[in-house]
Amino acid sequence: MTQEIVRIRDIAIGGQNPIALITGPCQLESHEHARMMCERILEACAPTGTKFIFKASYDKANRSSIKTRRGLGMEKGLEILARIRDEFGVPVLTDVHEPSHCAPAAEVCEVLQIPAFLCRQTDLLLAAGETGCAINIKKGQFLAPWDMKNVAEKVESTGNRNIMLCERGTSFGYNTLVTDFRGLPTMAATGWPVVFDATHSVQQPGGLGGSSGGQREFAPVLARAACAVGVSALFIETHEDPDNAPSDGPNMIPIEQMGALIANLRAFDALAKGI
């Protein structure tokens, strides 16, 4: 089956194109922080010419505890993302959790992301698809890879073919995820580009009691494996101080390690795709 190519500004995702990155901090903290992170990501990507989409969430609606920080909210968060988009000329991505969020988010973001726990919510998928934005759909931890064909069809029914399917691990007992790498070519067989989420695949949901744990040391290992399979894009969250980040710190890659990691991943990608 011929794979669709999703085009986001000057980034072509799918087919034999080099891997693109979806990267940034898990949660928006401030304009100053987002600006600093975008500058450092640009520096990390520059030596290899790697294209990236800046990712940050204005609301982390799915948290382990009511006591954990959710974010800046939609109005303030979209204002910051718009400033990052305009100042740095990069596409931006954020999560949407309700159908009513999709249209406002689409005024700012080139990519809307459907969280894994919401990937079968028909009204949300339809509202996202109707914006015409590229839609990155996280595979639910509870779904088989072949089930994502039905998920993609909901977005496609709106006439939107800018669809990406994202692997982020499968529930394995309590507080643990595993990645079945057979799922990557299985999802690619649907014809849509596949994104591999290296950071959430090493998450330990609820593993710290009041918050999720994770094993960030394995994120580069899984990312290399995904590149060897030939994925279209990688999702890797990063932060300058992951241990003190407001969300998903145990999974995020320190920003000072990103340059070397990206160069390594591009080499694996080139080998897999023969480019």
Side-chain angles (χ1 to χ4, degrees):
M1 176 180 290
T2 303
Q3 190 174 79
E4 295 281 336
I5 305 296
V6 174
R7 300 187 184 277
I8 303 163
R9 293 201 187 189
D10 64 341
I11 306 174
I13 299 176
Q16 295 302 106
N17 288 295
I19 53 164
L21 288 183
I22 298 171
T23 186
C26 180
Q27 185 179 131
L28 279 169
E29 299 176 37
S30 66
H31 173 247
E32 293 74 19
H33 183 260
R35 190 177 186 282
M36 178 273 292
M37 289 300 305
C38 194
E39 285 181 335
R40 296 193 65 178
I41 293 167
L42 281 166
E43 292 172 359
C45 289
T48 55
T50 301
K51 306 288 188 179
F52 77 94
I53 299 162
F54 183 80
K55 179 269 169 188
S57 299
Y58 57 75
D59 181 16
K60 301 298 294 182
N62 175 40
R63 301 307 308 273
S64 299
S65 168
I66 192 66
K67 298 175 182 178
T68 49
R69 293 162 60 184
R70 287 182 54 168
L72 301 177
M74 185 166 64
E75 183 177 354
K76 180 64 175 176
L78 290 178
E79 176 189 332
I80 291 171
L81 288 171
R83 293 174 70 180
I84 296 298
R85 176 200 65 195
D86 294 342
E87 180 175 358
F88 294 99
V90 297
V92 294
L93 172 153
T94 198
D95 299 290
V96 288
H97 299 91
E98 300 177 18
S100 61
H101 291 184
C102 295
E107 292 180 8
V108 170
C109 301
E110 288 90 340
V111 189
L112 302 184
Q113 183 163 277
I114 306 298
F117 282 113
L118 299 177
C119 72
R120 290 182 61 177
Q121 295 296 104
T122 301
D123 290 343
L124 177 61
L125 291 164
L126 295 178
E130 287 165 358
T131 67
C133 289
I135 311 299
N136 187 40
I137 312 170
K138 296 283 191 81
K139 180 182 76 65
Q141 300 91 326
F142 46 87
L143 282 185
W146 46 88
D147 292 333
M148 289 299 284
K149 180 178 184 291
N150 296 324
V151 173
E153 283 178 351
K154 294 181 182 182
V155 176
E156 188 183 8
S157 74
T158 68
N160 187 339
R161 297 183 64 82
N162 298 311
I163 299 168
M164 299 178 287
L165 304 181
C166 184
E167 172 62 64
R168 53 119 334 136
T170 300
S171 294
F172 185 75
Y174 297 124
N175 304 126
T176 304
L177 299 171
V178 296
T179 299
D180 179 0
F181 283 94
R182 297 173 299 177
L184 301 178
T186 299
M187 288 199 293
T190 64
W192 305 111
V194 172
V195 181
F196 181 70
D197 180 346
T199 41
H200 288 96
S201 290
V202 299
Q203 186 186 62
Q204 295 171 316
L208 299 180
S211 62
S212 291
Q215 295 175 298
R216 75 169 71 98
E217 67 272 21
F218 293 119
V221 178
L222 298 188
R224 287 194 293 271
C227 285
V229 172
V231 293
S232 298
L234 289 170
F235 180 110
I236 302 177
E237 289 181 336
T238 184
H239 197 276
E240 85 285 1
D241 185 13
D243 290 335
N244 291 297
S247 62
D248 273 336
N251 314 315
M252 287 195 282
I253 302 296
I255 186 62
E256 64 267 20
Q257 298 177 15
M258 284 291 284
L261 176 59
I262 291 167
N264 183 248
L265 295 174
R266 283 294 299 267
F268 275 79
D269 180 61
L271 183 64
K273 295 174 180 171
I275 54 176

